[in-house]
Structure formats: structure tokens, C-alpha cells
Amino acid sequence: MKPFEYVAAGSLAEAVSHLDSAGPAARPLAGGTDLLPQMRYFRAHPPLVVDVKRIPELRQLSCVGEGLHIGAAVPLADIAAHPDVTRLYPAIAYSCSLVGSVQIRSRATLGGNLCNAAPSADTVPGLICLGAHAVVTGPAGRREIPVEEFNTDPGKTVLGTGELLVEVVVPPPPDRSAVSYLRFTPRQEMDIAVTGVASLLKFSEGGMVYQARIVMAAVGPTHLRARRAEGVLEGQRPTAELVSRAAEEAAGECQPISDVRASADYRRHLVGVLAGRTLLKSAEAQGIRV
Amino acid sequence: MSSRFIGERLARVDAPDRVTGRAVYAADISLSGMLHGRVLRSPHAHAYIKKIDATRALALEGVKAVVTAADFPALKKGGVIARGEVELNLDHIRQVALAHGKVLYHGHAVAAVAATDPHIAEDALELIEVEYEPLLAVLDPEEAMKEDAPLVHPEQRTRTRDGTLDRPSNIAATYNVSRGDVEEGFQVADVVVEHTFRTRTVHQGYLEPMAAVARADPGGRITVWASTQGNFSLRSQLASVLELNSSQVKVVPVEIGGGFGGKLNSVLELPAVLLARRTGRPVKLVMSREEVLRATYPAPATAITVKAGATADGRLTAVKMRAVFDAGAFPIAPVVAAYLTSLAPYKIPHICLEGYEVVTNHPKIGALRAPGAPQGAFAVEGQMDLLAEKLDIDSLELRRRNATQEGEPMPVGRAFNRIGLQPLLERVAAHPSWTTPLKGPHRGRGLAVAFWPGAVMPSSCNLTLQDDGSFSLVVGSVDLTGTRTTMLQVAAQELGVHPSKISVSVGDTDSVGHTEVSGGSRITYTMSNAVNQACTRMLGLLRERAAAELEVDPQELEYDTGIFSSRVSQDKRLTLTDLGRQSLRRGGPVTATGAVARMQPAPAFSAHVVDVEVDMETGQVKLLNYTAFQDVGRAVNPTQVEGQIQGGAVQGIGWALMEGYQFSESGVLQNANLLDYKTPTATDVPFIDTVILEIPASDGPYGIRGVGETPIIPPLPALANAIHNATGVRIRELPMNPEALFHAMQGRGG
């Protein structure tokens, strides 16, 4: 590990000022479960590390009328255990509970999972399904960015120099809708998704698919929407045949690579399997048997 | 004497320290003035080292020394330390410690640096300039065997049964072993099957990365704290390479966080000693997990072809095995062990082995819990299932019909002494894990049988009566698996005192007699003999002391639970406390030693039954039930025996389903971390049920047999057999991970 400066910021303004003056290589520190290994194994050499865990806005976790506010430095374990999250956003609670181990989840944050910009991040597909947005502050002030557009490439986000993720805001789930996320890992725990798929299904009163969102993890440079597959479903009565057609369509839309964890072919196949299963699960959660 | 402590579930004496973090491991050692070292490793799998220039590194503030292979004493060729079943080649030990002129695998140690803190040492590595001349890497053993293959060691000649060949080759050794005439056996067979089974390089996966601290005194004496399975073996390795007397090297015991055969040979200790000598200060070297995976001693990749024949009524007639082992950068691979262990369970009239030990530009392989046996059993037990299927005989019944017994010849060597295979198989046949029907779709049951001969190596202990009548027992063996506790039970049993009156510790190499490595499932078996001996001697000495004190004939005294008393006059009695006190006034302190070199082997058989459910869409295998049967001779501590069996099974499950080195085309390990080199966690395995049989071994006290190694063997074939039962697909290549199984099911392979 190379020497670096450390500062614990007490406010948003202080954090932004530190990050801005130190330049693009400076890194905010929340749980540190991604940053510290990167620094230790020499891939990252930030001259300055700004601890953001003491900033009040980043520690908030609240569920109010306009949605769920998840401060960027809230540990995943707190989110997964929050009664409003488990009641209203069970898919978010579930994805938060998948990451790492008990120890990791007590440190790691949802904000960090998003900013690390790994296409395999488990918490992101559900957020995209629900239309969540990221609230960012920086030298030029505050802006809001849809989570879907937050990551641009592996390890890359839209954040500019001096910008800091404050919170992620998840709108209330639409009526008659359900979200579910499934990932595939060779090991049950302590593993990273070889492929993950989340789906949102919103039904009309008559039981037709009013809106569908399908988001795929670890099969592209960022999380990907399966828009053609969504199109297959929307406006249709959900049947087993329709679901498998949508799943097949999603498999055609992913952009997997082959690496040490899996081949592209296998990942593509898994997208089909997981998309089918998650759609059935989302439908079932709304009491609709396919 | 009644069996008061043998067979008791005593809690491990080391458990409180281990679970509370008080236990001291090598990396916890911190000495005054100590420096921190790091090792520079090769970026090439195969290259000449043209030049090493450490000028810039040495100029960095805080850097105290850089050492390379040039700092070793001049090498005397052909140095070998013979250790019973294991030979330690000094040349190879030196070359693994620091490359000599040529790097032989990616991650091979090239130089080591010592600095005032570990971060400076890390920075210094980047300043050591090494000029390499890359060579073609030799990575595929079958390719490496060809005459025109590039050579890992241009001077290497193949060792054969009939002498050494005179042409250079990557084949370090060939093995041709046989009994009977297999061709004759295949002629009388009604069914013959022949397939090749492949396994990858896997790692022992010990939790504690290798670590060493070395101190060099100006007088030449060296002290080492190291994560090793054998303090005395390490001492021999260091003394031999450094050309010191054994008594000039002291290895101090520390706790060890797992070894599984991977910590038998020195890796970090030699560079640590060289740095300590150069600087005059203690030096600590600790590996990262990445270094552990890239540059220690994993288990070999294998390709084993088994041709097996049987008559229509299920009698094996002949088995021919062709085995190719990837030994990595230096020779010695357990080729014969694969053959010996996998064929041992069966009476087969005609058998033969054609074995090849091939060097490549992969890390040098080492031992892993029953070295060679899991790979051999994966092939042989897979073929046993296929034969059962072709003959339409129940797979357990086929094994029962061929099961070996006392007096039958082993595949290599003499006849079996007392063994428990047939009763073990009868136990399986009657057990619910085998008799309960398996219900539900895509579920399957698999069975496999395994054998491990068990090693016998020297063991020593010292027993001292303390001034208050308590005892101190010092053993020479590293405690990997709770052996301090089992030896406590043996001593309590033999001395007839409560375990709270005895403390057991591991001695340093100055304080107890030579004790070979903790390996080969042998510590409880052999050390219990040494402890038993020391206790008998101790009681003999105490009887004489007591007789002298009481002024009676020694034969007049009887001994029970810590008291010597006269059979003649009741008031003449002495307690151990009395004897301890009086020893300081008359006669002097009482000590007794126990030392054992040779004993008969105590072979151990096991059988595992596993139920799986396969996700046909993803290839994921879920384990539903797992039962491990094992003849342990005598369970000194049943809790520890169960733990050993469960641990071995889990390690074998990992090898079967998840683990495997993935090398790039240039020989670089792609999964050098525990995220991508996957081992199972507690959530991946069901409760491993254990069924213990106690058929006493022919030799040694209490009938004990070795336990630790046998249970890693059956999971590989048992899972392959279960997956076949569930899916109809036979997998003959490890690991059987979801993607591999998915592709096999797509192609309906097998």
C-alpha cells in the first residue's frame, strides 16, 4: 500500500472541497470493502481518501411519502434489516442481503456498490427496475441522475471531479407491481454473480402486464435493460409461453464476455433461465399464477 | 486398567486460544529490531535470469538488504534428505526458495528484500531490476512428454525401473508396476471398460498463509518460527542447505492454521534466514493469499486412464492404469500412490500401472491429504460404477463381491494385516443412507470406497513429574488436528490421573527428540505409542522411588489413580504429590522419554454415500445428504475423529465441484484469489453424518488407525456417481462445476 492522506469530512461541503482540491484521483471512503483491497493490491493509489461516514446526509435511511432515501454511507446490513424496506421493497432488502458476508455487509454500503460500478453489483438491478435516482453533490451544486445512467463502463461512473454521491432515492413501488432479483453463483455465499436478472412486473386490473422492466447483471459493461423482452410482455396476458419468449429475447439482448468465472455462452444461457424464473417470481408475488 | 480417557470427547486444549485470537501463529511473532521482508516473483512461466540489479532498491530509505540465490552456500549436487516415505531434494528446496539462473513458473521467487516496514519492502520490489530472457513455457504434460518438447530442465534424464535413460526429457520418472498379466485378465472378462479421467491442479486451501520469522546469531546459530507441519523436518532442510549442524538450527513451535500436506517443504524460511544473516536483524516474511496460490505446493493435475474388466457375475479380472501426473517445476509426484490406493479395496488377479511423472512450468506440486489417492479413486471408482451399470449389478454389491481382506496382497508391497473393509461395506448395506429410497426428480445417489495406508515416522516425547505431582508432557509433533488433546488422553489413561493434572505442549527442536512431520494420518497412531512408552517408564521410575522411600520391595507396591500403596501394610502409601516433592530432596527430578521409529502400517478404509439434486437448467448440484463411513480402529476422541472425517469430506466436495487452477496460455494462474479459486463454505454442504467402525489395527496401542486422510478421497467419485445417477451424464473431468455439468448435459456426454 502506498502512503496517502486521510481526512474525515463532517459535512457535504467539506467533503466536496477536499475531493475537488485533490483532483480526480482522490477517493471517498465509506465501507471501504472495495477501495481498501484496490489500494492494498496496488490497482489504486489515491493521494487523498475522504471518509464520508460522518456526514449526516449520507447516514440517513428513511421511508417517507415520496419514496425510500438511502444515504450513500448506510451499510447494507441496515438496509436489509429495515422494516419499511423489507415490507415495501423486499427485492431491495433481498439484494442487499446477498452481497459478501455478514461482516462485509456490516461495512459495505449501497452507495459504494453503485459507485464501484461493477456490472455484477447485486443491489443495482432492483434499483433500476424501480426507477431509482442518485442524488449527487459537487462543486457545481446538486444534481439527480437515474441509477440506470449512473454507470458508464466497468469501474466508471458519471461522477465528475469533486462530486460525491449523497443518496439513492427509490420511488414508491407502483400499485399491483412486484420486483424480484435472482442471481447465479457457483457458491451459495461469499460469491459474485456470474449472471443476475431483476424484473418488475406491473399488472393492470384485468391481470394484463401493464409495465415490465428487466435488468441484467454481469452480462455487459454496465447493467443492461432487456427492452425487447420488456416489449414482448407489455400489454399481454402472462402465460408460460409468453414468459419463455421474453426470457429468450432477454438472452438475445445481453452482451456477455468469457472470463475466469464463466463463458459468454453460459452467461447468455443463464440470462434466459434467470429471466424466466424472476418473471414467474414477480408474477407470483402479485398472486398471478402463470 | 479400565478405559477412562480413551474414547472420551475431551474438548481440545487449544480451542479457547484459537477461538479468542490468543493463539500465536508465525505471523504474530514480533521481535525487537525485526525487519519485514517481501519476495520478488517472476512475471514469466519460463525464462533465463540474465541479470539482477538491486542498486536502486538498496538506495531506498529503509531497505536493509536484498538477497538472491547467489547468497546460498555453493551447492553440492545430489543432496537428498531421506525421510522414510518422502525424499526431500535439497536442490529443489533451494530452487523453490529462490530461483537459480532460471525461473520455472509464474510467481517463482527471484529475490527477497528486507526493510524497516512492509510497505517499504513492497515498494523496493519495483526497484529491483531483473533482466529475463523468456523461454517457451511447457504447460501441457502430454505435450511435454513428446521428444521435441522444450525442456524444463535440459539436464534431466528419465528415471525408470531399469535405470536412467540417456536422453534429456521432461518425463522425470516412469513407473511400471504389475502383478499377474492384465492381457490374460481382459481375455477372460465379459465386460471391459476404458476411459480417461482428468483432474486439475488444486490447492490445500489452508487458512493461514505461509509465514516465517528468522533470527541469525553472530555465532552462526539460527532460530526460526514458521508455519510448518514439521519442526524437525524444517530444521533438517535448513541445516542441510545452509551447511550447519542440526543442533545449530532451532525451530520454535507456533500454532498452525492448517497444512493438509502443503506445509511439509520449506518456502519462505530460507530467504528469511539469508536476510537475517545479511542484516544481523530478525526478519519476518508473510505470504499474501495470491502468493500462496501462485507459489507454494499445490496438488498435481492428473490424467488417469483406467481399463477394467469383470466377469458377468461381477468378479474383477484385470485393471490397467495409465497415469500422467503434472509434477510442476520439479519431480516427485504420487503416481504409485494413486495406483496403490485406488486398487487396494479389491481382489484383482491382474493389475498393472504405466505411470509418468512429468515436469512442467507450473508450481512444484506437494502433498495434499492422501496425495494421489483422490485422483486415482476418481478414475477407479468411476469405472466401478460403470461396470456395475453394464453388468446390471448394484454398485455396492459389486464392491462387496470384490472387497479385499486380511491376508490378501496389497497392489504394491506385502499382504494386508487386519483391515475392516468388508464389515464397513456390510454397515453401508444396512444403513438408511443407502437403504432409504431416493424420491424426487433429478436426484441421484452415489457411492465410493477409499483406502489410505497410513504412514509411520519417528515420534518422540518427554514426560516430567513436576514438584507438585503434576506432569508435563512435551511432544515433538506439530499439532494440526488436536493431537495435544489426544496425547493428553493417552497420558491420563496410562498415568491414571485426571487430565487436569497433565499439561501437553509442543517442544522446540532443542527440547525433545526428533519427531517427523505431522502427516500421513500418523500422529495419533505413532505418538500414542511413544507417550504410552514414556508413561510406562515414568511409572517404573516412580515405583522404584516410592519403594525406596517406603523401604519396601518395588513389587510389593500397587499403583492406582496417583497412589502407590503396599499390598502388605496399608499405612505404607505415597501420592504423586509426595513423590514430586521428595524428588527435589532425594534422587532428583523424574523424567521419562518415549521414542518410536517403526511400527506396522494401520490401513484405513472408508465409504461415502451422497445424495444430490441437479438443477437441469443451470447445472448446479445441491447436496441433500452425506454419510461417511470409516474404520478408525479406535476413536481416542470421537469428536475429533468426526471432525476429521467431516473436514476431509468437505475438502473432497470442494475438489469435486468447485476447485481447480485455471492457467492462461502463457502459464499465468488466472484465479489466484479465494473468490475465483472457489472452496465451499458451510452453506454449500449439508451436515456430514459420520458412521465410525472400530476394528482394531494390528499394531500399536488401543487399536488406533490413522483417520485424517482417507475421508478426502471418496467425495470425488461419489459425487460423479451421484450426478450420473441423477442426470444420466458421466463427468470424467474435474471440477464438476455448474458450467461443466451444463455443457456435459447439453452434449449428453458420457
Side-chain angles (χ1 to χ4, degrees):
Chain A
M1 194 180 268
K2 305 282 187 191
F4 61 93
E5 294 293 318
Y6 167 90
V7 59
S11 70
L12 286 174
E14 201 188 324
V16 168
S17 146
H18 282 301
L19 288 168
D20 190 32
S21 58
R27 297 283 296 269
L29 169 76
T33 56
D34 284 312
L35 180 60
L36 289 178
Q38 286 170 21
M39 290 168 66
R40 235 183 125 164
Y41 300 114
F42 275 29
R43 291 195 298 269
H45 314 285
L48 174 70
V49 168
V50 180
D51 191 337
V52 296
K53 286 193 291 293
R54 297 181 196 179
I55 303 171
E57 290 88 337
L58 270 68
R59 301 290 300 196
Q60 281 181 22
L61 176 61
S62 65
C63 199
V64 289
E66 76 275 24
L68 172 67
H69 292 252
I70 304 171
V74 176
L76 293 169
D78 291 4
I79 305 168
H82 195 283
D84 291 340
V85 180
T86 53
R87 184 168 52 88
L88 296 169
Y89 303 90
I92 302 289
Y94 174 69
S95 340
C96 289
S97 76
L98 288 175
V99 178
S101 61
V102 171
Q103 291 89 335
I104 295 286
R105 290 192 292 274
S106 300
R107 295 289 298 179
T109 63
L110 184 136
N113 201 224
L114 179 60
C115 292
N116 190 51
S120 57
D122 288 313
T123 63
V124 176
L127 295 175
I128 295 176
C129 280
L130 286 162
H133 65 267
V135 177
V136 166
T137 188
R142 182 187 153 97
R143 60 182 180 130
E144 292 183 1
I145 304 145
V147 169
E148 192 174 343
E149 293 162 21
F150 193 84
N151 295 331
T152 54
D153 232 352
K156 299 238 171 11
T157 69
V158 295
L159 291 174
T161 302
E163 278 195 316
L164 176 70
L165 176 69
V166 179
E167 62 174 359
V168 171
V169 182
V170 194
D175 289 341
R176 290 186 300 279
S177 76
V179 182
S180 69
Y181 174 64
L182 291 173
R183 69 168 188 180
F184 185 81
T185 55
R187 184 160 60 193
Q188 295 300 305
E189 301 273 342
M190 304 288 290
D191 211 343
I192 281 185
V194 168
T195 300
V197 181
S199 69
L200 172 142
L201 286 178
K202 173 175 163 54
F203 294 95
S204 67
E205 279 184 53
M208 309 285 269
V209 177
Y210 179 81
Q211 184 192 23
R213 274 196 186 147
I214 298 173
V215 181
M216 305 175 288
V219 286
T222 62
H223 293 83
L224 300 177
R225 284 272 295 277
R227 289 178 191 276
R228 293 205 307 270
E230 294 168 4
V232 167
L233 294 160
E234 284 175 357
Q236 304 295 315
R237 183 164 299 283
T239 63
E241 194 274 328
L242 185 75
V243 165
S244 46
R245 221 157 29 91
E248 209 172 292
E249 198 65 47
E253 287 182 85
C254 67
Q255 305 161 24
I257 55 162
S258 293
D259 64 13
V260 71
R261 290 174 197 153
S263 71
D265 284 351
Y266 184 56
R267 283 198 162 100
R268 189 179 294 282
H269 167 77
L270 287 175
V271 165
V273 173
L274 295 179
R277 290 179 183 180
T278 180
L279 286 167
L280 293 179
K281 205 173 163 205
S282 294
E284 205 166 283
Q286 275 300 303
I288 292 178
R289 294 191 68 87
V290 174
Chain B
M1 199 173 296
S2 66
S3 186
R4 290 180 61 210
F5 300 109
I6 302 296
E8 286 298 303
R9 293 177 181 269
L10 242 67
R12 274 176 69 155
V13 296
D14 51 325
D17 278 359
R18 286 194 192 258
V19 299
T20 56
R22 279 197 308 268
V24 174
Y25 297 85
D28 296 322
I29 299 291
S30 189
L31 303 172
S32 172
M34 188 176 77
L35 300 173
H36 298 266
R38 281 285 185 275
V39 175
L40 180 68
R41 299 186 177 280
S42 168
H44 305 287
H46 196 192
Y48 285 117
I49 302 171
K50 306 297 280 183
K51 198 173 124 193
I52 303 176
D53 183 351
T55 315
R56 287 177 60 218
L58 289 165
L60 185 68
E61 191 176 343
V63 173
K64 298 297 180 189
V66 174
V67 295
T68 67
D71 294 282
F72 282 124
L75 178 64
K76 287 179 194 146
K77 275 277 174 192
V80 167
I81 308 175
R83 284 279 172 267
E85 301 171 2
V86 188
E87 269 188 6
L88 298 172
N89 183 308
L90 297 177
D91 191 15
H92 302 164
I93 290 169
R94 288 169 39 125
Q95 290 195 54
V96 168
L98 286 166
H100 290 42
K102 205 176 166 192
V103 288
L104 298 168
Y105 46 95
H106 178 261
H108 195 166
V110 172
V113 56
T116 47
D117 87 42
H119 304 291
I120 296 174
E122 188 88 50
D123 286 347
L125 294 183
E126 295 165 23
L127 301 175
I128 301 173
E129 289 161 21
V130 185
E131 196 184 309
Y132 295 99
E133 181 188 323
L135 297 163
L136 276 175
V138 180
L139 300 169
D140 180 305
E142 299 272 1
E143 290 293 316
M145 288 167 70
K146 294 180 179 164
E147 284 196 20
D148 57 348
L151 294 168
V152 178
H153 303 291
E155 74 287 359
Q156 178 177 277
R157 302 289 190 274
T158 308
R159 285 182 290 116
T160 76
R161 189 177 50 186
D162 307 317
T164 303
L165 304 181
D166 56 5
R167 188 175 54 77
S169 169
N170 289 318
I171 304 171
T174 61
Y175 299 94
N176 291 283
V177 187
S178 64
R179 187 175 70 215
D181 177 353
V182 285
E183 294 314 323
E184 202 178 292
F186 290 129
Q187 272 172 18
V188 299
D190 296 306
V191 177
V192 176
V193 295
E194 181 173 6
H195 293 96
T196 300
F197 295 73
R198 293 174 197 280
T199 71
R200 283 200 199 160
T201 306
V202 296
H203 198 268
Q204 293 82 6
Y206 40 76
L207 278 180
E208 180 208 12
M210 287 196 175
V213 177
R215 191 173 70 194
D217 298 341
R221 192 171 160 80
I222 284 170
T223 310
V224 170
W225 295 256
S227 181
T228 173
Q229 287 176 241
N231 295 328
F232 288 88
S233 169
L234 175 60
R235 181 184 72 171
S236 302
Q237 294 171 45
L238 298 179
S240 302
V241 171
L242 299 167
E243 296 180 346
L244 298 168
N245 297 327
S246 288
S247 56
Q248 285 176 287
V249 178
K250 176 170 157 180
V251 179
V252 184
V254 281
E255 296 292 348
I256 180 168
F260 310 107
K263 292 177 179 172
L264 297 172
N265 289 4
S266 149
V267 182
L268 287 178
E269 293 82 4
L270 282 165
V273 168
L274 294 181
L275 288 167
R277 276 182 163 180
R278 175 71 64 81
T279 59
R281 291 166 69 170
V283 174
K284 181 195 285 190
L285 283 171
V286 181
M287 277 194 183
S288 66
R289 182 65 60 183
E290 182 182 342
E291 288 178 290
V292 166
L293 289 166
R294 289 195 195 285
T296 57
Y297 300 103
T302 61
I304 298 178
T305 306
V306 171
K307 183 177 179 184
T311 59
D313 65 346
R315 306 285 166 187
L316 292 168
T317 60
V319 175
K320 181 180 180 186
M321 177 182 281
R322 179 184 185 271
V324 177
F325 274 57
D326 179 353
F330 297 99
I332 300 193
V335 184
V336 177
Y339 167 77
L340 161 69
T341 56
S342 61
L343 298 184
Y346 308 115
K347 291 184 261 192
I348 316 169
H350 306 284
I351 53 175
C352 88
L353 165 70
E354 176 193 332
Y356 299 90
E357 182 181 300
V358 184
V359 295
T360 62
N361 292 118
H362 289 141
K364 172 173 165 46
I365 62 108
L368 196 184
R369 206 169 187 162
Q375 297 98 321
F378 179 53
V380 169
E381 291 296 297
Q383 295 300 63
M384 286 298 286
D385 242 45
L386 182 57
L387 281 175
E389 185 190 345
K390 289 199 181 289
L391 293 166
D392 196 21
I393 297 174
D394 172 81
S395 60
L396 175 60
E397 179 54 31
L398 180 68
R399 289 170 171 90
R400 285 161 85 185
R401 283 185 198 173
N402 292 283
T404 194
Q405 61 193 17
E406 183 173 353
E408 288 287 329
M410 287 198 269
V412 177
R414 62 191 121 178
F416 279 111
N417 55 14
R418 194 186 301 133
I419 53 171
L421 176 60
Q422 290 181 353
L424 188 83
L425 295 178
E426 296 314 309
R427 193 70 179 270
V428 175
H431 195 270
S433 65
W434 185 253
T435 56
T436 310
L438 189 59
K439 293 187 185 117
H442 315 307
R443 292 183 168 190
R445 179 168 292 160
L447 164 76
V449 169
F451 166 76
W452 185 250
V456 178
M457 289 180 267
S459 297
S460 307
C461 66
N462 296 340
L463 179 64
T464 304
L465 175 72
Q466 300 295 3
D467 57 355
D468 60 354
S470 63
F471 290 98
S472 298
L473 175 66
V474 178
V475 295
S477 50
V478 170
D479 185 354
L480 287 169
T481 54
T483 49
R484 271 168 297 189
T485 311
T486 45
M487 290 312 112
L488 173 63
Q489 292 179 243
V490 170
Q493 174 76 24
E494 296 305 319
L495 294 169
V497 301
H498 191 268
S500 62
K501 298 285 187 202
I502 308 169
S503 78
V504 185
S505 57
V506 180
D508 65 51
T509 51
D510 285 351
S511 67
V512 61
H514 191 110
T515 300
E516 261 310 314
V517 295
S518 297
S521 304
R522 68 109 194 167
I523 291 297
T524 304
Y525 180 53
T526 55
M527 187 62 85
S528 64
N529 208 357
V531 171
N532 197 298
Q533 198 183 87
C535 292
T536 306
R537 287 179 182 164
M538 170 61 71
L539 290 179
L541 292 170
L542 293 178
R543 178 180 294 276
E544 283 171 24
R545 292 284 177 97
E549 288 291 333
L550 298 169
E551 296 176 336
V552 300
D553 184 277
Q555 299 314 311
E556 190 184 316
L557 293 175
E558 58 182 18
Y559 176 75
D560 188 32
T561 56
I563 300 164
F564 285 95
S565 51
S566 164
R567 291 194 192 86
V568 181
S569 54
Q570 288 227 325
D571 60 327
K572 294 204 167 185
R573 60 203 302 271
L574 276 176
T575 64
L576 291 174
T577 312
D578 300 331
L579 287 165
R581 282 201 200 106
Q582 286 171 18
S583 70
L584 302 187
R585 294 195 287 272
R586 273 189 298 279
V590 190
T591 64
T593 60
V596 172
R598 297 302 301 173
M599 293 167 68
Q600 281 190 48
F605 284 91
S606 74
H608 291 191
V609 177
V610 58
D611 295 343
V612 301
E613 182 177 278
V614 178
D615 183 329
M616 302 300 281
E617 287 187 307
T618 64
Q620 187 116 0
V621 173
K622 184 181 178 195
L623 278 70
L624 304 171
N625 303 296
Y626 201 106
T627 310
F629 301 77
Q630 189 162 330
D631 170 20
V632 306
R634 184 74 199 271
V636 176
N637 185 319
T639 302
Q640 288 187 27
V641 166
E642 288 157 6
Q644 284 267 51
I645 293 173
Q646 290 164 334
V650 172
Q651 219 167 6
I653 290 165
W655 194 340
L657 298 180
M658 296 183 184
E659 299 179 37
Y661 273 31
Q662 293 171 258
F663 288 104
S664 74
E665 283 174 9
S666 56
V668 180
L669 182 61
Q670 301 296 291
N671 53 338
N673 60 67
L674 291 185
L675 175 60
D676 293 318
Y677 180 89
K678 290 192 198 303
T679 57
T681 73
T683 54
D684 296 299
V685 293
F687 176 73
I688 310 285
D689 196 12
T690 53
V691 179
I692 291 173
L693 266 78
E694 295 187 312
I695 294 161
S698 296
D699 197 5
Y702 322 115
I704 294 167
R705 295 177 192 274
V707 171
E709 284 167 297
T710 318
I712 195 178
I713 306 167
L716 287 67
L719 279 161
N721 293 341
I723 289 168
H724 171 259
N725 189 229
T727 65
V729 174
R730 285 200 185 274
I731 310 278
R732 299 193 179 95
E733 188 165 355
L734 297 183
M736 300 177 282
N737 62 27
E739 177 162 7
L741 180 52
F742 169 73
H743 288 311
M745 291 193 297
Q746 292 290 95
R748 291 279 125 190

